[in-house]
Amino acid sequence: MELKLQKADHDYYETIRFAPFPCETMRENIVPDSCGDIARIVDTAGVVCLTGRELTGDGRFCASGSVEASVLYIPEREETLHSLHFQIPFQCYGEGEGDASCENLDIRGELRSIETRVLNPRKVLTRANLVLYPQLCRPVSLSVCTGVAGDDGEGVQLLREQRETRVTAGVREKEFTFTEELPLPSGRGGAEEILSTRVDIRGADSKLIGSKLVVKGFLSVTALYRESGGRLGILQQELPFSQILEGNGFDEDCESEAVYRLLSLDCRTGTESAPDDACTLTLTVSLCTRVMVWKRLGIDFIADLYSTAAPVTCQREELELSEDSQQSVRRQNVRELLETGSAVRSVIDTEISCGGARLEGEDWKIPVWARCLYMDESDALGSAHREFTVSIPAELEGGGLECQAEAFCRGDVIANITPEGVELRFPVECAVSSSRRRRCLCVSGGERQEEAQERENTPSLILRKMGEGESLWEVAKQYRATREGILSVNDLADESQITSDRLLLIPRAR
């Protein structure tokens, strides 16, 4: 007869990260009539604005958006730096799993390289290479047996266990626009032309307060501009922001973390009230914040059962959980030389960006892209680029860990001029999340069997020692006794008092 087992249901999400996939996009662009013919390309800067992401019907990831490109160039018969601004649209696909149950797709984009070549003095071709990192959440509905219902529990002995796991409780997203007026440094001329703008978005805090998720972060903006006299200026500023999202359905002891995706970027001279004010820049940024919420989930289950009244056959299934979840930060100071080919007089701007971290052996390997805009000794503008890999020791304790990491450059970039070029010194941080996937067997069903005839002729009292590595549960199950009964007749308080040489009286059930 089948046992009636009580069950507990646990609903949550598991986060799945997929292999990054590349994307290349390009665009030909005509120089506006208001601009002079191009004599020389100095550099090209760009930022990724990712506005569309979806899981297609055939199971692939689709990402779309644009690269906001700024082509820095010197016009013919001029020595001052100018810029072309335009968007390079992209739409690309990566391989997924084809699971229709997946939801909350997120794709983060990194600009790996961008370059421009002159097709003729009035036309340029710009090519950008991106790396896209997809991840999604898959709903999990876990049902485990926790007890025996009603009269079926008579004589049934249960071995209960508990595991604690850290799971994704849910995801919240919100799009918002951030606008700020940025005064230029006093004592200098106003901005005649904004040459390039980039932003770095950093989450600072995320808390669940009541039914609201409160997130805070910083927007680091760098704007390169040309003053009316032709001199170059650079504005760097860190701007705080905050947002409130709905947090219904989450407990206040849940943990959360916010990440941000750039949707659009605009920086122009003047303000709404004074559009001709060349000494103030107005920055408008559209962002999407994605808040992951985690919870600690205690899962109680039956690891084994038997009955003192009749033989029982158990069905078991494997339970796999993430345990021992930990978060840590690894930091590495990096020194790298960008060779310029000519003597450098001054450094105007530097940029460092990090790609996705991957674990190889005992180190995290992080692709890094470095860029430097400089003036050489003949007062000519130049740029240097380099891609390289930074290794950070993983320092993982024990084997069998599942690890994920995000890498950032979150500190000052120091540029030193050397005879070979520009030496950059900067920190790279690697935020690591690790856990262990543990498997255990749990009871999923059971059936009572009819009592065998020979059972009536077996002795009711057994005298024996416990074997090496044997537990009291195993002994009690073998003779269909109870642990409590064995401890009681042997005048023991708990199992820890049993030594390997002690003979135990085992009252066997009839």
Side-chain angles (χ1 to χ4, degrees):
M1 183 179 66
E2 185 178 356
L3 287 175
K4 297 177 183 178
L5 298 178
Q6 298 170 334
K7 294 189 175 183
D9 296 324
H10 303 280
D11 295 320
Y12 55 92
Y13 295 88
E14 62 176 345
T15 302
I16 307 171
R17 298 195 182 198
F18 293 85
F21 60 96
C23 177
E24 181 181 83
T25 184
M26 64 184 73
R27 176 179 171 176
E28 291 184 0
N29 205 67
I30 302 296
V31 178
D33 293 338
S34 58
C35 301
D37 291 350
I38 294 178
R40 179 172 67 92
I41 299 290
V42 175
D43 196 9
T44 305
V47 293
V48 178
C49 296
L50 202 153
T51 53
R53 63 232 154 97
E54 64 175 327
L55 192 64
T56 63
D58 57 358
R60 294 188 297 165
F61 301 115
C62 177
S64 59
S66 64
V67 176
E68 304 289 325
S70 299
V71 179
L72 308 182
Y73 71 98
I74 302 294
E76 292 183 354
R77 296 182 295 276
E78 286 190 40
E79 296 298 330
T80 55
L81 189 64
H82 291 258
S83 181
L84 296 175
H85 302 284
F86 50 87
Q87 295 180 338
I88 310 175
F90 66 85
Q91 185 176 42
C92 53
Y93 296 85
E95 294 300 322
E97 283 192 346
D99 190 343
S101 67
C102 294
E103 53 187 79
N104 292 313
L105 172 64
D106 184 50
I107 301 179
R108 180 174 59 87
E110 292 283 353
L111 184 63
R112 182 169 186 171
S113 65
I114 184 168
E115 59 181 1
T116 302
R117 64 185 180 93
V118 177
L119 301 178
N120 62 55
R122 306 298 300 175
K123 182 187 289 187
V124 296
L125 173 65
T126 302
R127 185 191 311 268
N129 288 287
L130 292 75
V131 182
L132 300 162
Y133 303 89
Q135 74 171 29
L136 47 76
C137 291
R138 175 183 291 149
V140 176
S141 184
L142 179 64
S143 181
V144 293
C145 296
T146 58
V148 182
D151 296 338
D152 280 11
E154 183 179 353
V156 175
Q157 304 298 305
L158 302 178
L159 180 63
R160 289 188 172 94
E161 291 188 10
Q162 184 182 68
R163 295 286 189 271
E164 184 181 85
T165 183
R166 185 175 184 261
V167 300
T168 303
V171 179
R172 297 289 187 268
E173 287 193 358
K174 180 182 179 181
E175 295 183 5
F176 64 97
T177 300
F178 177 89
T179 300
E180 188 76 14
E181 295 179 358
L182 308 174
L184 297 178
S186 59
R188 300 187 59 165
E192 185 177 70
E193 180 183 4
I194 298 175
L195 300 171
S196 67
T197 308
R198 67 177 184 271
V199 294
D200 180 57
I201 312 152
R202 172 169 56 92
D205 193 19
S206 177
K207 288 183 180 179
L208 189 64
I209 303 176
S211 62
K212 303 296 182 182
L213 279 165
V214 180
V215 299
K216 298 178 181 180
F218 292 93
L219 195 70
S220 297
V221 56
T222 301
L224 178 68
Y225 60 94
R226 189 187 71 251
E227 298 177 358
S228 56
R231 186 170 58 170
L232 297 180
I234 190 164
L235 176 68
Q236 294 178 313
Q237 198 162 337
E238 193 169 77
L239 309 171
F241 66 84
S242 62
Q243 285 291 307
I244 299 177
L245 294 80
E246 288 299 324
N248 289 323
F250 300 133
D251 297 328
E252 284 200 17
D253 58 352
C254 287
E255 306 169 49
S256 62
E257 181 182 13
V259 295
Y260 300 88
R261 179 164 47 87
L262 183 63
L263 302 177
S264 67
L265 169 65
D266 179 69
C267 187
R268 59 188 63 199
T269 56
T271 66
E272 184 177 356
S273 58
D276 296 328
D277 181 6
C279 293
T280 305
L281 307 183
T282 298
L283 176 74
T284 303
V285 177
S286 292
L287 303 172
C288 176
T289 178
R290 174 185 173 90
V291 184
M292 299 282 293
V293 181
W294 294 282
K295 64 180 178 180
R296 300 279 178 176
L297 184 62
I299 298 179
D300 296 293
F301 61 92
I302 302 173
D304 196 8
L305 65 78
Y306 66 93
S307 174
T308 61
V312 172
T313 301
C314 286
Q315 292 87 47
R316 292 179 173 85
E317 62 183 11
E318 191 174 70
L319 183 64
E320 184 177 4
L321 300 171
S322 293
E323 299 179 1
D324 303 330
S325 298
Q326 296 181 0
Q327 287 73 47
S328 60
V329 176
R330 304 282 184 265
R331 183 183 175 94
Q332 181 89 354
N333 291 320
V334 180
R335 177 187 297 182
E336 200 68 29
L337 176 66
L338 273 61
E339 297 181 350
T340 57
S342 60
V344 176
R345 181 168 62 84
S346 62
V347 174
I348 298 171
D349 186 24
T350 58
E351 180 182 5
I352 303 292
S353 60
C354 300
R358 65 187 187 278
L359 187 61
E360 292 186 5
E362 297 182 354
D363 295 323
W364 288 105
K365 301 292 185 179
I366 302 164
V368 176
W369 301 283
R371 169 179 166 269
C372 177
L373 183 66
Y374 63 89
M375 187 84 72
D376 66 17
E377 290 189 334
S378 61
D379 289 336
L381 285 166
S383 65
H385 302 256
R386 189 174 178 195
E387 178 183 348
F388 50 93
T389 300
V390 172
S391 296
I392 298 181
E395 299 179 4
L396 300 174
E397 296 181 2
L401 285 174
E402 289 187 349
C403 301
Q404 298 173 345
E406 296 281 349
F408 312 94
C409 176
R410 295 299 195 205
D412 295 332
V413 180
I414 300 174
N416 296 318
I417 299 172
T418 71
E420 295 81 16
V422 178
E423 181 189 70
L424 299 180
R425 298 184 183 185
F426 55 91
V428 171
E429 289 186 356
C430 192
V432 181
S433 299
S434 64
S435 63
R436 282 185 172 86
R437 299 289 288 186
R438 298 189 188 273
R439 294 178 174 87
C440 52
L441 290 176
C442 62
V443 173
S444 58
E447 291 185 1
R448 292 183 188 270
Q449 307 296 322
E450 291 187 5
E451 186 69 70
Q453 290 292 330
E454 57 270 20
R455 174 75 175 174
E456 298 178 0
N457 300 320
T458 58
S460 60
L461 198 63
I462 306 295
L463 188 64
R464 60 161 285 185
K465 297 178 182 179
M466 285 181 58
E468 184 177 354
E470 194 174 32
S471 68
L472 188 59
W473 169 269
E474 293 168 327
V475 173
K477 180 180 178 181
Q478 180 181 351
Y479 300 104
R480 281 177 31 200
T482 66
R483 289 178 293 184
E484 295 77 8
I486 295 174
L487 292 172
S488 177
V489 299
N490 288 277
D491 197 24
L492 296 170
D494 55 59
E495 186 174 349
S496 64
Q497 293 180 318
I498 303 175
T499 59
S500 59
D501 59 348
R502 174 158 183 169
L503 284 171
L504 295 175
L505 288 174
I506 303 172
R508 187 171 183 175
R510 283 190 172 274

